[in-house]
Amino acid sequence: MIESEKEKGPDGLRERLVDVGVELVAAEGAQALTLREIARRAGVSHGAPRRYFPTHLELLSAIARRGFAELAGRVARATGEGPAHPRARLAGLSRVYLDFALDNRGMYELMFRHDLLESGHLGLRDTSLPLFGVLVDLVGRVRPDADARTVAGSLWAGLHGIAQLWGWGSLRLATGADTPGTVLRALLDAHLGAEDHGSSAGDRGPSAGARG
C-alpha cells in the first residue's frame, strides 16, 4: 500500500528514498537502482522521487554519498593519530579500503562511477578528495623523498585494481594467493620500500580476504 507523501514529510521521505537505495544496492547491486524500484520499495508513488531528486543522477549521488561517509569513518578510525608508525596507519587504511570494497561491491561500484563524480551533484568530489588527501599525507610521511601525490595516486590505483580483480576472482587465479593481503603487501613494498614483515601491520591481509 502506497503511503501518503504528505504524511512522511519532505525531509523524511527524502531520507527514506536514500535509505531504500542503500539497502537495494547492498542486496542487488548498482544496476537495480531505478527510480521506479526505489519508489516501490519506499512505498510511494513512482513520481515521488523526482520531487526531491529531479534527476536519476541526483538520487544515485545521494546514495553514493552515504558510501563515502561510511568509508571515511572507517578510514578515520584506522588512521587516527597515535603511537603507530605512519606506515602502519597506511597499511591499516589499505586494509580498510579493500575490506570496504569487497564487502560492499555494489556501493563501491556506484561510488566510483565516472558520471556521478563528474556531474558535481551533492559535491561527491568534495567527499572523495579528502580521503585521497589522507592517503597523500601518510605517503608523504613514509616517503619524504618522493612526490607524495603521485605515489599516493599510483598506490590508490593499485588498491582499486586489487579490489576489482579479487572481486572478479581473476587475481586469486593468476597469483595463487589465498587472500588479497599477500598482494597488498607486495603493493605496499613496491611503493613504500620493503620492510621486515615479521612484525609488520601490512603483513596481515584484509579480513575480507577469504571472501571470493
Side-chain angles (χ1 to χ4, degrees), residues 19-159:
D19 289 342
V20 168
V22 171
E23 294 166 3
L24 185 57
V25 75
E28 300 185 23
Q31 73 283 350
L33 293 173
T34 65
L35 288 173
R36 179 176 293 270
E37 182 60 15
I38 290 173
R40 186 186 72 79
R41 295 194 181 209
V44 297
S45 64
H46 293 156
R50 292 197 180 277
R51 299 177 187 175
Y52 310 99
F53 302 98
T55 67
H56 192 205
L57 279 182
E58 289 185 71
L59 178 52
L60 294 182
S61 295
I63 296 167
R65 192 177 181 88
R66 290 276 189 90
F68 277 115
E70 181 181 348
L71 179 57
R74 294 190 187 191
V75 167
R77 290 189 292 273
T79 61
E81 292 292 339
H85 188 275
R87 173 155 180 159
R89 294 205 295 271
L90 189 51
L93 181 156
S94 300
R95 291 195 304 274
V96 161
Y97 186 91
L98 291 184
D99 278 344
F100 180 88
L102 293 172
D103 286 342
N104 304 275
R105 294 182 189 178
M107 178 64 83
Y108 181 74
E109 175 188 347
L110 181 68
M111 287 163 58
F112 291 102
R113 270 182 48 170
H114 180 74
D115 56 341
L116 297 189
L117 291 169
E118 285 298 312
S119 71
H121 288 310
L122 301 182
L124 279 188
R125 287 214 182 275
D126 294 337
T127 307
S128 61
L129 288 178
L131 291 173
F132 182 65
V134 174
L135 185 62
V136 172
D137 177 66
L138 289 172
V139 168
R141 298 187 191 190
V142 178
R143 289 283 312 277
D145 59 309
D147 181 336
R149 187 165 294 274
T150 299
V151 174
S154 181
L155 178 57
W156 176 41
L159 289 171

